[in-house]
Amino acid sequence: MFKSIRSQSKSIPAFSIIEAVVGMAITAIIMGILFVIFSIVTGRMLDFKSQNQLVNDLNRLTYSLNKDIFEKEKMTASENEIYFNGYTGERVSYQFLDDYILRNSETFVDTFRIKMNKIILDTVKSKTEQFVFQKIKLNVEANEKELDLRFYKRVYPNELLQRIKSE
């Protein structure tokens, strides 16, 4: 009743080579599909980010211009620049370049990545002709469409009298 060690074989459960290759092929196919999906989602997220950046820049520009119009005493303009002088002597300038707009103040410089097509400066009266306003019309390009932004700064009677005296 001797048992022979050689005749008794212990088998260890394992994958065969074919099963391992099939598993790796299925994993490679799944990884390829995930990579394609990830690339598409990343591209769409970058498009969304650039559109969101444009909207954010437009909102910041309109907020900054409105704030400077109403908080500053005097506005002067040249061909591609607008200056605001405050009551206490502070000065803010907007430089309108081809691909972006720069806002320079004493504390910081702000950049708006907005393409400027043209700027129109004019003086207009209210419907009742009681008030006079300086009108700024900015024609910008947003999402391949032209957009007009209009801003108005009231001109007070003392400023009109100063202009008449200086002429």
Side-chain angles (χ1 to χ4, degrees):
M1 309 255 170
F2 294 103
K3 290 186 178 178
S4 165
I5 295 178
R6 288 185 187 175
S7 64
Q8 185 184 15
S9 66
K10 293 185 176 179
S11 65
I12 300 173
F15 291 111
S16 68
I17 292 178
I18 294 175
E19 291 171 330
V21 168
V22 168
M24 289 185 345
I26 291 173
T27 303
I29 292 170
I30 291 173
M31 293 294 284
I33 292 171
L34 289 176
F35 179 75
V36 169
I37 291 172
F38 180 76
S39 298
I40 291 170
V41 169
T42 302
R44 291 209 176 152
M45 289 301 291
L46 289 174
D47 289 343
F48 176 74
K49 180 182 175 189
S50 66
Q51 287 177 352
N52 194 25
Q53 182 69 33
L54 177 65
V55 170
N56 191 14
D57 280 348
L58 279 170
N59 287 337
R60 286 185 312 119
L61 175 66
T62 56
Y63 174 79
S64 296
L65 264 171
N66 279 323
K67 182 178 180 218
D68 289 332
I69 284 172
F70 291 110
E71 287 183 356
K72 304 296 186 238
E73 177 184 19
K74 189 174 180 183
M75 179 180 80
T76 55
S78 65
E79 187 175 324
N80 287 329
E81 265 185 290
I82 296 176
Y83 300 100
F84 293 97
N85 295 323
Y87 293 100
T88 59
E90 72 270 10
R91 184 175 174 148
V92 176
S93 69
Y94 288 85
Q95 294 176 336
F96 299 100
L97 305 168
D98 289 337
D99 293 333
Y100 56 92
I101 299 169
L102 285 177
R103 179 185 183 270
N104 294 312
S105 68
E106 294 173 354
T107 55
F108 67 94
V109 176
D110 200 2
T111 304
F112 307 99
R113 298 195 191 297
I114 298 171
K115 184 175 180 185
M116 175 67 65
N117 291 335
K118 63 183 171 182
I119 179 171
I120 300 171
L121 303 169
D122 198 5
T123 303
V124 294
K125 291 183 179 179
S126 64
K127 288 183 180 179
T128 62
E129 295 193 7
Q130 188 176 6
F131 302 109
V132 177
F133 296 94
Q134 286 179 309
K135 175 183 170 183
I136 306 168
K137 181 180 172 186
L138 304 177
N139 184 277
V140 298
E141 190 171 314
N143 290 334
E144 299 175 1
K145 295 180 183 176
E146 286 190 8
L147 179 67
D148 287 331
L149 304 174
R150 292 180 179 92
F151 302 93
Y152 298 90
K153 176 151 182 68
R154 184 168 174 200
V155 180
Y156 293 96
N158 63 339
E159 294 176 45
L160 293 173
L161 290 174
Q162 287 175 355
R163 287 184 188 173
I164 292 172
K165 287 180 184 178
S166 65
E167 292 176 0

